Amino acid sequence: MNVRPARPDDYPAAAAIHNSQNDPSFRYTAERLLRADVRSAESDPRFRRVVAEADGQLLGTGEIRSNWAGVVQPGRYWVSILVAPEWRGRGVDSRMLRSLAAGLEGGAVELGTCIREDYVPLAGFLEDFGFVERFRSWGAWLDLTTFDPARFGETSDRLQREGFRLLPYSELESEGNDMKLRELKHDIDRDILSFEPIVPADSEDILGETYLRSGLMVALSPEGEFVGMASLRRTADDGVIDSGLTGVRRAYRGLGIATALKVRALAVAKELGATGTGTGGGGTDSPMRRLNQKLGYHVGPEWVTFIAQLATDL
């Protein structure tokens, strides 16, 4: 068995291996995986992909990167190691991980990985390297072709009777409102559940190019304060528009604002022709997870984050 850097002609087999051991609702083509790797390499000079092969057959593929969700911490790296079904349990994943870790300049203090809970038993490298569970997160999917926003209209009507305004951000755009929106987002970011605090708290840019202005909904209090938001983002032209950041200031939670805002955003996604939408979050029983289940999202198996403290001799 030989472990070496991936070549462009490896990507069809690498994509097939990925698709055999990952979320069934998220599939790679060879072209999509290659494009993703090119973008990763451009933004992260530590990014590398390797493959394991024997007699011309690809047995597995692995990658390492120095950032996770845009956060870079010295000495910490994130890995994804996948092995073809017929080669699992034969040490292929550990060989690839050793190859990836050995190539790190300056060494590594910790390695992290995130694996869907039903695939955890297939990852032999977890025991070999002493990985321990640190955090759980979840993903969810909603079929927009059967989603009816009118079912949740009473919540929106009640909030408006109480003096709240629920508006597309495009109707509020004016000098100073971008700052108000970013300040609201910063307040919401503080309560996003993650496996460890991220300082400063900062999720994705809701005014960035992948976020849809037409699907950005804002709630204003009776006094005119920005108190909640829901957003949409499109990352591929495949009939899917995902939910972005949804949240409400602490003082205004429990009133149904997040529900009303998200329903309005999902209605926009339907109007734009999306047939499905995905979302996710941290924690096994969070309010946001319960909200999505109330709206009809199907929550899939949880994702488990593991961390390994590395010894100098791998």
Side-chain angles (χ1 to χ4, degrees):
M1 180 173 63
N2 177 42
V3 177
R4 59 168 175 78
R7 302 186 303 249
D9 60 323
D10 294 320
Y11 278 80
I17 291 171
H18 176 281
N19 295 341
S20 73
Q21 190 178 329
N22 215 300
D23 188 341
S25 66
F26 184 73
R27 288 288 182 258
Y28 270 124
T29 62
E31 293 76 16
R32 185 177 182 182
L33 182 59
L34 180 57
R35 287 197 304 269
D37 281 5
V38 170
R39 289 194 299 268
S40 294
E42 290 173 346
S43 63
D44 181 359
R46 300 289 182 88
F47 174 84
R48 287 194 300 135
R49 178 178 294 280
V50 298
V51 296
E53 67 172 354
D55 298 325
Q57 178 186 359
L58 217 64
L59 317 181
T61 182
E63 65 179 67
I64 192 164
R65 61 184 69 239
S66 63
N67 69 68
W68 180 257
V71 178
V72 178
Q73 297 176 339
R76 172 176 283 167
Y77 294 84
W78 294 89
V79 296
S80 175
I81 308 291
L82 304 172
V83 178
E86 64 273 22
W87 283 91
R88 292 170 188 159
R90 299 166 69 173
V92 177
D93 49 4
S94 293
R95 280 280 300 274
M96 288 190 291
L97 185 49
R98 285 190 174 88
S99 175
L100 289 167
L104 295 176
E105 296 179 7
V109 177
E110 290 185 340
L111 288 179
T113 191
C114 190
I115 304 174
R116 214 177 76 163
E117 60 181 344
D118 47 343
Y119 292 124
V120 169
L122 306 179
F125 70 91
L126 293 175
E127 183 176 353
D128 291 347
F129 285 82
F131 281 86
V132 295
E133 180 178 332
R134 182 73 64 83
F135 186 70
R136 288 189 175 236
S137 54
W138 50 272
W141 177 260
L142 179 66
D143 182 352
L144 285 174
T145 64
T146 59
F147 176 69
D148 180 10
R151 289 180 50 220
F152 306 95
E154 172 53 33
T155 301
S156 179
D157 294 342
R158 173 180 53 77
L159 288 168
Q160 292 183 87
R161 290 195 299 269
E162 294 171 358
F164 290 91
R165 287 189 294 157
L166 311 175
L167 300 169
Y169 186 65
S170 59
E171 296 183 16
L172 294 167
E173 287 181 296
S174 65
E175 186 176 353
N177 276 342
D178 279 6
M179 184 177 296
K180 292 179 183 178
L181 183 69
R182 292 187 189 279
E183 194 278 327
L184 167 64
K185 175 183 172 293
H186 177 72
D187 198 17
I188 294 169
D189 279 342
R190 293 184 303 158
D191 292 329
I192 293 177
L193 295 173
S194 60
F195 82 96
E196 61 183 19
I198 297 173
V199 180
D202 188 20
S203 62
E204 293 186 60
D205 182 4
I206 52 173
L207 297 177
E209 62 180 15
T210 62
Y211 279 77
L212 304 181
R213 291 295 182 100
S214 60
L216 179 54
M217 301 292 161
V218 178
L220 278 66
S221 72
E223 295 74 32
E225 180 186 7
F226 283 33
V227 298
M229 59 165 292
S231 57
L232 299 174
R233 60 183 178 179
R234 188 196 296 273
T235 57
D237 187 19
D238 57 1
V240 175
I241 296 178
D242 287 328
S243 296
L245 180 64
T246 300
V248 176
R249 293 190 193 272
R250 294 175 184 175
Y252 292 89
R253 292 175 188 166
L255 303 177
I257 295 173
T259 298
L261 288 171
K262 187 150 191 176
V263 167
R264 290 195 173 207
L266 293 174
V268 171
K270 280 180 66 82
E271 292 169 3
L272 292 174
T275 57
T277 182
T279 191
T284 58
D285 188 32
S286 67
M288 191 56 62
R289 176 170 171 163
R290 294 194 296 272
L291 183 156
N292 285 292
Q293 289 175 307
K294 179 175 71 174
L295 295 180
Y297 279 82
H298 169 70
V299 178
E302 293 176 353
W303 289 81
V304 188
T305 297
F306 295 91
I307 300 293
Q309 305 290 329
L310 288 188
T312 55
D313 182 10
L314 295 177

